[in-house]
Amino acid sequence: MSTVIYPSPIFGPVHSRRLGVSLGINLLPVDGKFCSFDCIYCECGYNKDHRPKQKLPTREEVCSALEACLKRMSEQGPEPDVLTFAGNGEPTAHPDFAAIIADTLALRNRYFPKAKVSVLSNATFIGKPEVFKALELVDNNILKLDTVDMDYISRVDRPNGNYQLEDIIETMKRFKGKLIIQTMFMKGKTDEGEDVDNTSDRYVLPWLEVVKQIAPRQVMIYTIDRETPDQSLLKATCQELDRIVSLLSQEGIYATASY
């Protein structure tokens, strides 16, 4: 099984299905995975198989590497559409996340003021005041909500530690629309034979009701694009994703699908 472990602290630019020309910022170690989820569909593989031995990059290392890359891109191209916090796990787990966001916004304003700053997060740390405030400052605050069924979350997203779904939903509401919900839809089974199809009304309709309450400015739905740790997972079909986009649109929620 192939896995994707990203360079740190800067990687790319790459072309993102959802975001365009994206310069990646990886706040996790370069030699492994460091995440509060252990998703069975994660392109970086399972946590247990990629335990990092190196330390997190420091705030200073991130700032220096980002400025060097932005300076080079301003001279040689390409021009980034977005600076994206992603990589080998959960970016908001970094203890200096808020300060790094401030540094990144300042560098973006200096070199590429039209570029957006995006954070791809599983939302597990949005209850921390400093993380919440930092996410309010970025252009694209993209938070994961694969379902509102706790059994499914335990089976598929597999949070580490105490995961309080209701608290996370309530905190999402506090962004007052300044967030994007990102949801993975897929089919198939786990390697243990458990069903993971969340495209049916059983999962979609309760999720839709919560999304309406959160009232995000956008919903991004997507499906499997790369090899996954569990080998029996399947892509959702274009028709299934289009149906979910239609349901969101009927509720006045702007939504996009990546197939």
Side-chain angles (χ1 to χ4, degrees), residues 154-224:
S154 298
R155 186 162 67 250
V156 173
D157 294 331
R158 306 199 306 176
N160 299 311
N162 187 24
Y163 180 85
Q164 297 294 329
L165 177 62
E166 292 303 320
D167 290 346
I168 287 173
I169 291 169
E170 289 304 312
T171 306
M172 286 181 173
K173 294 177 185 178
R174 287 177 45 219
F175 283 109
K176 298 180 180 178
K178 197 175 183 212
L179 76 161
I180 297 170
I181 295 294
Q182 183 186 81
T183 302
M184 164 69 81
F185 287 100
M186 62 182 181
K187 304 172 74 172
K189 298 181 181 296
T190 68
D191 286 346
E192 288 74 34
E194 298 176 294
D195 183 69
V196 296
D197 184 349
N198 64 336
T199 64
S200 67
D201 285 349
R202 173 188 172 188
Y203 292 103
V204 171
L205 295 184
W207 167 85
L208 177 59
E209 288 304 309
V210 171
V211 170
K212 287 162 57 178
Q213 295 170 26
I214 295 169
R217 65 177 173 86
Q218 181 180 351
V219 174
M220 293 177 173
I221 67 173
Y222 67 123
T223 192
I224 294 166

Side-chain angles (χ1 to χ4, degrees), residues 34 107 115-116 166 210 219 237:
F34 185 88
L107 290 171
K116 306 296 185 182
E166 292 303 320
V210 171
V219 174
T237 66

Side-chain angles (χ1 to χ4, degrees), residues 57-121:
T58 66
R59 174 188 178 182
E60 293 74 20
E61 288 169 342
V62 174
C63 186
S64 176
L66 179 58
E67 181 163 24
C69 189
L70 293 177
K71 186 174 186 297
R72 183 173 66 253
M73 292 174 75
S74 69
E75 296 168 350
Q76 303 174 10
E79 182 172 340
D81 296 309
V82 61
L83 313 180
T84 306
F85 285 82
N88 302 335
E90 175 52 38
T92 64
H94 196 291
D96 287 328
F97 174 74
I100 292 170
I101 289 292
D103 293 341
T104 300
L105 291 170
L107 290 171
R108 182 276 308 272
N109 293 343
R110 184 184 310 167
Y111 289 98
F112 292 103
K114 293 182 180 179
K116 306 296 185 182
V117 174
S118 298
V119 178
L120 300 178
S121 170

Side-chain angles (χ1 to χ4, degrees), residues 1-144:
M1 179 190 69
S2 63
T3 55
V4 180
I5 298 297
Y6 291 93
S8 179
I10 307 299
F11 63 93
V14 298
H15 189 273
S16 165
R17 288 187 293 169
R18 296 178 288 277
L19 302 171
V21 178
S22 173
L23 182 66
I25 304 172
N26 175 24
L27 301 186
L28 291 313
V30 69
D31 64 334
K33 186 183 173 194
F34 185 88
C35 196
S36 50
F37 273 8
D38 195 16
C39 299
I40 64 172
Y41 58 78
C42 181
E43 64 186 13
C44 297
Y46 291 130
N47 293 349
K48 65 180 176 61
D49 296 329
H50 303 280
R51 301 286 186 195
K53 296 180 181 179
Q54 296 188 28
K55 295 181 179 180
L56 301 174
T58 66
R59 174 188 178 182
E60 293 74 20
E61 288 169 342
V62 174
C63 186
S64 176
L66 179 58
E67 181 163 24
C69 189
L70 293 177
K71 186 174 186 297
R72 183 173 66 253
M73 292 174 75
S74 69
E75 296 168 350
Q76 303 174 10
E79 182 172 340
D81 296 309
V82 61
L83 313 180
T84 306
F85 285 82
N88 302 335
E90 175 52 38
T92 64
H94 196 291
D96 287 328
F97 174 74
I100 292 170
I101 289 292
D103 293 341
T104 300
L105 291 170
L107 290 171
R108 182 276 308 272
N109 293 343
R110 184 184 310 167
Y111 289 98
F112 292 103
K114 293 182 180 179
K116 306 296 185 182
V117 174
S118 298
V119 178
L120 300 178
S121 170
N122 63 26
T124 49
F125 297 115
I126 60 174
K128 292 185 175 183
E130 66 275 17
V131 171
F132 185 91
K133 291 177 182 177
L135 291 174
E136 284 188 302
L137 298 176
V138 304
D139 301 289
N140 296 319
N141 170 26
I142 304 173
L143 302 178
K144 174 173 288 297

